[in-house]
Amino acid sequence: MKMEKRYYIFELNDHVERENVFFPNRYGFSVAGDLYKQKNMDLTKEHPALIIGAPYGGVKEQGPGVYANELAQRGFVVLTFDQSFMGDSSGFPRHVSSPDIFVENFSAAVDYLGLLDFVDREKIGVIGICGSGGFALSAAQMDMRIKAIATASLYDISYCARENMDKEALTKAKEQLSRQRWEDAKNGYPEYIPSFPLFPAQQVPADLPEEAAIWFAFYGIKRGHHPHARGGFTSTSQLSFMNFDLLNHLDEISPRPILLIAGDRAHSKRYSEVVYEKAIQPKELYIVDDADHIDLYDRVDRIPFDKLEDFFKKKLSLSSK
């Protein structure tokens, strides 16, 4: 799914170079990525590397690129990617969401980085933004090659799939979505209802409910709009998350370190707090002052890059000993 003209929501730093790459996952999908590194990087030496996952429904040209653009300046090789069925990655039908495949793509990214001559395969960390925080942690539960994990504005999509639903409401939702599969089969394509316009709006519509307005304030206007990220997934994708607990083995990440970053005004802060309570040391919950959920997508004056640099340089150094 190539765009005629690729564009990003940020300007690439003059000291950073970006390469479009592709790598396979274990299901045979081609995952599209962007590889960032300093222009003057000594490629005869091995360097620490980071993988950055996009917010749920987002793509590599948005928040992940903002992070990569900054962290590459600080000496990391950084890989961003589009989840399968999204952006420039393969997978059909489009906009399907799969917890297993989305977690797998983090490990596939580790595969790719570990085969690069200038990457130290014992010093690979991950950063998951929003929904990718849950996928990154889930991947780290099983993939021991991931040596340090950070999340920003964490969302656990599997928890959200059942959140605030009693048994009656859950049964009703599963009934409706199960029957939607018959409609999808009849139509020959799954139902997908985008949340955001194909072209950016001038402002957030005044009549939007508060929860919807939060997302529109990034995805629906020029700030973060991208035609590959129109919000949501196929309707029946939710069934998979109702049947899949992403973070059932958090204790198995230890002794590898976890850094959870959340804005003090973020509605999602509670998810980071829950994970912090469940995880085993070493772990840290870092709260950013005067920041909401989407501020940690793209606001370089809010994203704590110094904290991220310090965390990964220290923890990845320890992992090689």
Side-chain angles (χ1 to χ4, degrees):
M1 298 292 293
K2 294 284 189 179
M3 295 175 60
E4 291 185 5
K5 184 177 180 181
R6 185 186 301 273
Y7 78 94
Y8 296 76
I9 69 168
F10 62 95
E11 293 293 329
L12 186 67
N13 184 272
D14 290 340
H15 302 290
V16 174
E17 60 184 17
R18 176 174 58 214
E19 177 186 1
N20 306 136
V21 300
F22 291 87
F23 53 91
N25 68 16
R26 69 185 180 92
Y27 294 106
F29 292 110
S30 178
V31 181
D34 283 335
L35 190 68
Y36 293 75
K37 58 182 181 294
Q38 289 177 335
K39 286 183 177 178
N40 62 351
M41 178 171 277
D42 184 351
L43 300 186
T44 66
K45 297 180 179 180
E46 294 182 340
H47 303 273
L50 299 175
I51 299 159
I52 304 179
Y56 193 54
V59 289
K60 61 187 181 302
E61 292 87 355
Q62 297 171 310
V66 173
Y67 279 68
N69 191 42
E70 178 66 34
L71 292 168
Q73 297 174 54
R74 300 172 183 237
F76 296 96
V77 176
V78 188
L79 177 66
T80 66
F81 66 93
D82 290 331
Q83 287 287 10
S84 299
F85 313 103
M86 289 288 294
D88 294 316
S89 290
S90 70
F92 188 84
R94 305 305 290 170
H95 304 290
V96 169
S97 177
S98 166
D100 188 24
I101 294 173
F102 283 15
V103 170
E104 154 62 21
N105 286 339
F106 277 91
S107 288
V110 176
D111 295 343
Y112 172 80
L113 285 174
L115 297 180
L116 298 178
D117 292 338
F118 51 88
V119 167
D120 185 338
R121 62 168 54 179
E122 299 304 322
K123 296 182 179 181
I124 298 176
V126 299
I127 301 174
I129 309 170
C130 185
S132 276
F135 303 135
L137 287 166
S138 189
Q141 289 175 158
M142 296 297 107
D143 195 333
M144 303 299 289
R145 301 171 302 170
I146 297 173
K147 302 301 185 182
I149 309 94
T151 67
S153 294
L154 168 70
Y155 251 82
D156 176 357
I157 303 300
S158 60
Y159 179 82
C160 294
R162 292 170 170 262
E163 190 174 14
N164 299 324
M165 284 196 284
D166 58 20
K167 184 175 181 181
E168 180 180 358
L170 184 61
T171 299
K172 183 178 179 180
K174 290 194 292 185
E175 178 73 22
Q176 186 273 320
L177 290 170
S178 297
R179 291 184 174 277
Q180 181 61 43
R181 290 189 59 118
W182 271 325
E183 291 299 313
D184 293 350
K186 181 177 70 174
N187 295 331
Y189 202 86
E191 177 184 70
Y192 169 64
I193 304 173
S195 303
F196 312 113
L198 182 59
F199 301 100
Q202 294 299 311
Q203 59 187 13
V204 178
D207 59 347
L208 275 184
E210 181 179 357
E211 184 175 350
I214 291 171
W215 307 116
F216 204 100
F218 180 79
Y219 291 103
I221 62 177
K222 186 178 179 180
R223 173 181 176 181
H225 180 275
H226 198 284
H228 280 176
R230 296 188 60 198
F233 291 88
T234 56
S235 298
T236 54
S237 291
Q238 188 176 359
L239 285 169
S240 295
F241 286 92
M242 289 178 172
N243 200 38
F244 191 110
D245 192 332
L246 285 167
L247 303 180
N248 226 17
H249 308 288
L250 275 173
D251 59 310
E252 296 177 17
I253 294 177
S254 179
R256 292 166 293 156
I258 299 172
L259 171 63
L260 304 159
I261 302 171
D264 62 346
R265 296 185 284 104
H267 68 281
S268 57
K269 183 173 67 170
R270 66 186 187 277
Y271 299 118
S272 293
E273 293 170 340
V274 168
V275 169
Y276 180 78
E277 290 300 317
K278 290 183 177 180
I280 296 176
Q281 295 286 357
K283 59 183 179 179
E284 180 179 358
L285 177 61
Y286 185 85
I287 304 300
V288 179
D289 292 336
D290 191 24
D292 64 22
H293 180 87
I294 62 172
D295 284 340
L296 299 186
Y297 286 13
D298 66 333
R299 286 193 59 176
V300 294
D301 63 333
R302 292 292 186 272
I303 301 168
F305 287 117
D306 289 344
K307 179 68 177 179
L308 286 165
E309 178 185 11
D310 182 67
F311 172 76
F312 282 110
K313 285 188 174 178
K314 286 181 177 178
K315 302 306 182 182
L316 294 179
S317 177
L318 288 173
S319 72
S320 66
K321 295 180 180 179

